[in-house]
Amino acid sequence: MTLPAEGVLWTWTVQRFAPKSPPYVPPGDGFRPFALGYVELDGGPRVAAVLDVPETGVHIGMRLRVEETTGVPHAKPVEEEQ
């Protein structure tokens, strides 16, 4: 079953401490807090994803595209057509 790649942000938080390692691998310059949320995919389930969005730009209901990675998926904002 293939899941849709886009959806809306259902809820989110900021991860302010390093996750358990392994499986988490901290970057070379050390841990930095990051946004983490659940994206409700169009017509599908909710999936957890790291949000590649500045914390000040995150809002529930924003459109995101979820991208597969070797670890937790990442989600980026969908550019709205003007």
Side-chain angles (χ1 to χ4, degrees):
M1 174 180 189
T2 302
L3 296 175
E6 293 185 10
V8 295
L9 184 60
W10 186 71
T11 192
W12 70 285
T13 190
V14 176
Q15 178 79 29
R16 298 195 188 278
F17 57 90
K20 185 177 178 180
S21 184
Y24 176 73
V25 178
D29 58 350
F31 173 79
R32 280 183 265 150
F34 58 90
L36 180 68
Y38 278 96
V39 179
E40 187 167 16
L41 300 175
D42 295 340
R46 295 178 188 137
V47 296
V50 173
L51 306 178
D52 293 336
V53 181
E55 194 176 321
T56 57
V58 178
H59 62 276
I60 291 179
M62 69 186 300
R63 298 260 334 141
L64 297 166
R65 175 181 298 278
V66 178
E67 299 176 352
E68 184 179 343
T69 65
T70 57
V72 175
H74 282 232
K76 297 180 180 183
V78 172
E79 304 231 356
E80 301 281 331
E81 291 185 12
Q82 298 287 331

